[in-house]
Amino acid sequence: MEKTLDTKVFDNLEKLQVVLSAKYQIQAKIEDVPKQLETQEELLSRLKKEYIEKNSKYEELKKKVDGLKEELEEVVKLREEGEKGMDNISTHREYEALEKQISEAGEKESGLRKELDKEEKNLAELDELIKADESVIKSQEKDLNEARASLDKEAGSLKKELASLEKKEANISANIDPEITYKFQRIIQRNNEGIVYVKNGVCGGCHMILPAQFALEVREENEILFCPYCSRILRWQETKDGEEEDYFTMDTAGSLADLDDESDAYDEDDDDDINENEDDVKDDDLLDDEDEEEIEDSDDEESEE
């Protein structure tokens, strides 16, 4: 059959496959660029959140410490006033009242001082943690900005390379049917390989055995054919020694007539064996008859005696 398809179409498709594969890989890299910063951004975001929470806790604790200080000042003032009043008392009742005031104020003062000392230590520790977080956050922000600048530069380089590939794609696609190009693009996006070779009747993409007639049509290259299993474009590939494909035929498998001949040969040999066995049986029968005659003669002789 005379070919109706220019083989240059397949050559262009193979060139386009190389360009498209590289193009889609670069597009994937460009999409992955922002993802490379996600871990650092998440860490920085978590640090800032913790920093805000610690600052909020610090303000609350500081307010509590300030309140304890004010309360302590009042209690100390109350105790001191009671102690000064001792010099001016005139009755036992006044003495008891002042003594009670001084005692209660002293106990409260002691408790407040202990609590204030504890909270001031907590406040100091929290302040150190906040300062440490500030240092870490600044370091993380610096690293993130440097990484972002580096990735932006890499993305810019990738975009230039992508533009060059898209230009090559346009030049090659100009010589191919737009519908075929569209299908070809979809196939490569899915499989990273759009055109494969058929060898020994097997698709080089999905490795499925193709119908013999279909494989022959692929070999003729009269039109662009797609694998019925994986949808890739198929192209013929000769075996290494250039021989034609070996498909299953009756010549290689044999025929029923051959089976009959073998059966007949088997029957003739079998008949010879059966005849030989029958002769052996007859000989055995003759021997048995002779033995019986000898036994009978022996019995007759004993009877006469």
Side-chain angles (χ1 to χ4, degrees):
M1 183 181 294
E2 190 174 333
K3 292 187 177 181
T4 60
L5 183 66
D6 189 350
T7 55
K8 289 183 179 180
V9 173
F10 287 103
D11 295 336
N12 287 328
L13 284 171
E14 289 184 342
K15 292 178 182 177
L16 183 60
Q17 176 172 264
V18 174
V19 172
L20 289 175
S21 296
K23 171 188 171 181
Y24 295 142
Q25 287 177 6
I26 290 174
Q27 286 179 338
K29 287 181 180 179
I30 292 174
E31 292 176 359
D32 287 339
V33 165
K35 296 179 182 178
Q36 298 179 37
L37 299 175
E38 286 182 357
T39 302
Q40 287 179 277
E41 289 174 344
E42 289 175 0
L43 176 60
L44 182 59
S45 177
R46 185 168 65 250
L47 287 172
K48 287 183 176 181
K49 183 180 179 180
E50 292 175 355
Y51 176 79
I52 293 172
E53 291 175 352
K54 287 177 182 177
N55 266 288
S56 177
K57 187 176 180 180
Y58 179 86
E59 293 299 326
E60 291 178 1
L61 189 56
K62 188 174 183 301
K63 188 181 292 187
K64 182 178 180 180
V65 169
D66 291 340
L68 288 172
K69 287 180 178 179
E70 291 178 0
E71 188 175 0
L72 179 60
E73 287 179 1
E74 293 177 358
V75 170
V76 170
K77 184 179 180 179
L78 183 63
R79 176 180 60 76
E80 290 177 348
E81 289 177 353
E83 290 175 349
K84 289 179 180 180
M86 280 290 189
D87 297 333
N88 300 321
I89 59 175
S90 57
T91 64
H92 183 70
R93 180 175 295 180
E94 289 178 350
Y95 175 81
E96 290 180 346
L98 286 174
E99 186 179 24
K100 183 179 180 182
Q101 176 183 327
I102 294 170
S103 176
E104 291 177 352
E107 291 178 0
K108 191 172 184 179
E109 179 185 353
S110 177
L112 287 172
R113 288 187 183 281
K114 289 181 180 179
E115 185 177 2
L116 180 60
D117 183 60
K118 176 184 175 182
E119 297 301 339
E120 283 180 335
K121 287 181 180 179
N122 291 337
L123 189 65
E125 291 175 359
L126 189 55
D127 184 58
E128 290 296 325
L129 291 175
I130 290 173
K131 289 179 180 178
D133 285 353
E134 287 177 352
S135 178
V136 173
I137 289 172
K138 287 180 180 179
S139 177
Q140 288 292 326
E141 285 179 336
K142 181 181 178 182
D143 292 343
L144 183 60
N145 290 332
E146 290 177 353
R148 187 178 287 114
S150 176
L151 289 174
D152 288 343
K153 184 178 179 180
E154 181 183 351
S157 177
L158 290 172
K159 287 177 181 178
K160 289 181 180 179
E161 190 175 350
L162 180 61
S164 176
L165 288 170
E166 288 176 342
K167 186 177 180 180
K168 291 180 181 179
E169 177 189 359
N171 292 334
I172 299 173
S173 300
N175 301 315
I176 306 174
D177 186 321
E179 184 177 352
I180 295 296
T181 301
Y182 176 78
K183 290 181 180 178
F184 197 58
Q185 290 170 339
R186 303 285 84 74
I187 294 169
I188 293 179
Q189 281 182 326
R190 184 173 63 252
N191 300 312
N192 198 34
E193 192 176 29
I195 183 168
V196 294
Y197 284 84
V198 175
K199 185 177 180 181
N200 295 325
V202 177
C203 171
C206 61
H207 307 294
M208 295 292 290
I209 299 175
L210 302 172
Q213 181 59 37
F214 182 76
L216 291 176
E217 292 176 3
V218 172
R219 182 177 186 178
E220 292 171 357
E221 294 188 349
N222 291 327
E223 59 180 324
I224 293 177
L225 296 173
F226 297 85
C227 175
Y229 306 108
C230 66
S231 301
R232 294 179 175 93
I233 292 177
L234 300 175
R235 193 174 189 185
W236 185 264
Q237 182 179 16
E238 294 288 351
T239 54
K240 290 183 179 180
D241 49 358
E243 295 180 355
E244 295 184 357
E245 299 297 311
D246 294 329
Y247 292 102
F248 185 88
T249 63
M250 289 304 295
D251 293 337
T252 58
S255 65
L256 291 176
D258 295 333
L259 295 176
D260 290 338
D261 292 341
E262 292 179 3
S263 178
D264 291 340
Y266 173 80
D267 291 342
E268 290 176 359
D269 294 339
D270 198 36
D271 288 340
D272 292 339
D273 293 339
I274 292 172
N275 291 332
E276 290 178 3
N277 289 334
E278 288 179 351
D279 291 339
D280 292 339
V281 171
K282 288 179 180 179
D283 292 341
D284 291 341
D285 292 339
L286 290 173
L287 290 172
D288 292 340
D289 291 340
E290 290 177 0
D291 291 340
E292 289 180 358
E293 288 177 359
E294 290 179 1
I295 293 171
E296 289 178 356
D297 292 339
S298 177
D299 290 341
D300 290 339
E301 290 177 359
E302 291 178 359
S303 177
E304 290 177 356
E305 291 177 357

